[in-house]
Amino acid sequence: MLAVSLSALLVVGMISLTIARAERWRRIGSAGFTYMQVVRPKQPRVFGLGGGQIVMATPASPADRAGLKRGDELVSINGVPITDEAGLRRLDSSVKSGDRVVYRIRRRNEIRDVAIRFDSPMRNGYLLATAVVNGFVALAFIAIGLLVFSRRPGDRRAKVFYAMVTFGAVTLLSATIFALDASNMRGILTGPSSKAIVALPVFVIGFLPLTLHLALIFPHDRPIVRKHPYVIRWVYGMPLTAIFISMVFVGLAIWAQTAGRSSLGRIDRPLDAITIVVSIIGGALIVRLALLRRREGSWRAILSRPFQTIFAAIGFLLALLWACVSLKWKVPAFTIGILAAVLPYLSVLSYPILSCIALYRSHRDAGLEERRQVKWPLWGTLIALISKIVFSIALYGTMFAILFGEQDFGNWSRIAQILQLIPTILYLLIPISFAVAIFKYRLMNIDVIIKKTVAYGILSGLIIVIYLVLVGGLGTMLVHVAGVQNQTMVIASTLVVALLFVPLRNRLQHLVDRNLFRQKYDYPQALRALAAETLTATDLRSFFSFSAELLQQALQNRSVVVFERRQEDLVSSAKIGLPDAILGSVRMDASAAEAIDRPLNPARRHLPESAASALRRVDAALAVPVRSQHVLQAVLAFGSKLSDREFDLEDLEFISSAADQIAVTVDRIRLRRDEEDFEQARAMQQSLLPAAVPKIEGVDLFGTWKPARAVGGDYYDLLRLSDTQLAVCIGDVAGKGMPAALLMSALQAAVRASAAPDVSPAELCERVRRVIVQSLAGGRFVTFFYCTIDTAARRIRYCDAGHNPPVLVRADGRAVRLDRGGPALSRLFSGTAFVGGEEPLLEGDRLVLFTDGVSEARDAEGNDYGEDRLEAFIAANRHSAARELIDRIIDSVSTFSGGRVDDDLTLVAVAVSS
């Protein structure tokens, strides 16, 4: 409220000041021309004109009507020579509107007197048109700013936008009258006008930097702003510097003008004083920045303090300038002076271009919907900027051509005045485009606005004209043919004709409405675009955003929201036409969403409250399920159509086809994501397996892991405990994919942290269970077997925690199952103690550890390979080395199952030698 009040006061103040200046000009009047000021008797000619010669006369002004032309040389004004500055100043203060002033001019060596009656310049048609256009555009700025700010008062972008349009409006309101002040068209005195500088700070400090500021934070902060927040201070630092320099020189000019031309030389004294003061302050700031550099680094110390850095640079340049002047180094002094005065202005003039660059980068880096938002301010700013540049180049280029050609301005001035209004009108594109993008509602879709305001208005107006012509023409013909003269009968006959043509008018209006709101793409083309994206999409969220964008463009409705299935909920994950706040915050139960079994209108169908509430929050007029293999994958919620018509059969067929394509894509992307998950889990599992087999004399070891298509949680490890002891373990984590692989990594870490020569297998299993059980939830479990082999004592100690008991085959073919231990590692049996077992190891023994992927391999009839078959196979091949034995087991299992592997095959073999 405070911001609105302050801006209102600022606008009212500028309007009041403009009215006051207009009233002053109405009172004092103007001749409407300007001439070259005489500075010294012999001054160089500029644009072919010398001192006292008329530069131009405003079209339709008193001077133009009196016949003054460019090149006419003024001799005196009301008898006062133009070289008498004091006399002209007294004359200027006494002449008022309506007074008759006599100008003595020399034209082609002929002296003549021309009488001109001073008149109010506000009667000039161009000035009136400029005032009307500037006032209209300024009020439009304010109205748009208030609309955006009132709708989003807490939005930082809306605040910056409101400040931008307020300063823009003030600049436009002050432009008309201060342009008149700066024109020097009164026709008595010419020279620098201090009043024109009033509008400059508003434009330079306000509108331009605020436009760049908005471009840097719209729709989100650019990376440079996020990384270096002080960039915004630099945006405002350069304009303030430019205004400071301008104020210094204008202040000196005003002082010199007030003191009289004879006092112009006195400018050197205050200028020297200002230079010394600024140089001292700048030097102090340089010393301070140098001290900060040691603590913060050069770049941070300088860049994070833009105002101090800029002022230090100005002080340094002015100190150099003063030194060069003192040493009478003219060229360096001139160069430094130009740099100090021009560089801040050049940087500020680059702001519109930088704004376009920032918007372009935001457009390039944005997502689908944000790109659609950013393109409007990008194009609006570009069009306004380019139009201003093009018209300025054309106008000033023509003006210089005429000046150098010594031609009369004449008709060109009238055309130029009209053309200068076009860029001002196009300035409206900047606030309009930003306002549309800030709102981000497709209710304000710019395409629809154009259609409804331009095409719709033209066609509707044409229908009305046709209707009136038909009614009026046929009514008149009926009256003349029938010869009716009675006024009552004339009115009645006209009404009869009007009523007869009402259905025709309505039919034509319906055709216009239907064609104005037709699809941007026909439905087959939209489906082809969706199918093409289906083949290339890799990210589900991006695909949903693309689909929402495409469907909204095709249907021309107000909004589209995609509710994506996540576990037991359907969550809003993509949208178009609604605020960002709905993403992730609007959800419905998957069980409640099952009631959406076909495309339906939520308002006409009773739905569970969870689904009905979510659809109400997004203003859904149509809800469509996306199913894959009878599983609800997503729900599409469509807002009402922009034409306010119901979704017809053709719309529903298109939407159903689109939903089928979306379902196919969801399946493909999720399958690919699962495959990527499996690949990551497989890589992690592979990294956890032992990289090398430990070497222990008297023992031959080998282990292998053959992954299936679906990654499980198989695990084995071989650990050297001492020169004569090693540990062998194997495990199987319930589940598949990345969760199983992560749990397996925790299992490995627990085993390696607990394994030691003096830790028994039962004790190790207990320690591992205490660690692993904290990561188990939802009934999950881990089977595990751990044993230690002591070649010196010739024994094996073990503990089996619910795993497939390993097979120990003796040299004589007898098999022993190592099944002593306890339950699997789980929360359910966490209180059950483990019992260890021990067996002697003899020369020729073969120990095989395996997972259920071996014993549960199936043949074509569904029969398991089985542990008995495995035990017999090991016994038959008990003379094989460890690696050879494993290879033969894998070949046997593969032959049995016909090469089809449904689970990982993990095996460890131990062969005992002498």
Side-chain angles (χ1 to χ4, degrees), residues 248-411:
V248 169
F249 284 106
V250 170
L252 292 173
I254 294 173
W255 176 79
Q257 191 175 23
T258 304
R261 192 169 305 279
S262 59
S263 300
L264 281 175
R266 300 179 188 175
I267 293 180
D268 292 341
R269 296 178 182 176
L271 189 59
D272 286 344
I274 292 172
T275 300
I276 293 172
V277 171
V278 174
S279 299
I280 293 173
I281 297 174
L285 290 174
I286 291 174
V287 172
R288 183 174 186 274
L289 292 173
L291 294 174
L292 291 171
R293 180 182 65 84
R294 298 180 180 179
R295 186 176 61 194
E296 301 178 5
S298 299
W299 287 109
R300 181 170 182 80
I302 294 174
L303 295 179
S304 62
R305 295 171 177 83
F307 295 102
Q308 297 181 33
T309 301
I310 293 172
F311 206 90
I314 293 175
F316 177 72
L317 288 175
L318 288 181
L320 282 180
L321 176 62
W322 183 78
C324 291
V325 171
S326 300
L327 295 172
K328 297 182 180 181
W329 294 349
K330 295 183 179 180
V331 174
F334 178 78
T335 304
I336 294 171
I338 291 295
L339 287 176
V342 172
L343 281 180
Y345 284 98
L346 290 179
S347 65
V348 174
L349 291 177
S350 69
Y351 279 16
I353 298 174
L354 294 176
S355 300
C356 293
I357 293 174
L359 289 172
Y360 169 73
R361 295 293 298 272
S362 296
H363 179 269
R364 190 187 66 178
D365 299 340
L368 288 171
E369 184 178 8
E370 288 182 353
R371 186 171 298 174
R372 194 174 181 185
Q373 293 169 247
V374 174
K375 71 178 180 181
W376 300 119
L378 175 60
W379 281 108
T381 307
L382 274 175
I383 291 172
L385 175 63
I386 292 173
S387 66
K388 181 64 176 178
I389 293 174
V390 169
F391 277 95
S392 297
I393 291 174
L395 291 174
Y396 289 111
T398 306
M399 181 183 71
F400 280 112
I402 292 175
L403 287 173
F404 281 113
E406 300 186 8
Q407 303 172 13
D408 188 46
F409 283 82
N411 294 328

Side-chain angles (χ1 to χ4, degrees), residues 177 201 312 379 581 903:
I177 195 65
W379 281 108
D903 202 354

Side-chain angles (χ1 to χ4, degrees), residues 2 7 9 21 46 70 92 110 230 263 274 293 303 473 488 531 542 661-662 700 712 757 821 846 864 878:
L2 179 62
S7 60
L9 288 174
R21 297 299 301 169
V46 181
R70 178 179 181 273
D92 183 63
E110 178 184 350
Y230 47 77
S263 300
I274 292 172
R293 180 182 65 84
L303 295 179
T488 303
S542 298
Q661 288 196 17
I662 292 174
D700 179 24
R846 298 293 186 266
D864 287 347
R878 62 184 181 276

Side-chain angles (χ1 to χ4, degrees), residues 122 125-139 172-173 176 421 424-425:
M122 301 308 297
Y126 165 70
L127 285 175
L128 288 176
T130 302
V132 170
V133 170
N134 287 348
F136 170 77
V137 175
L139 292 177
L172 288 167
L173 288 173
T176 304
L421 298 178
T424 303
I425 297 173

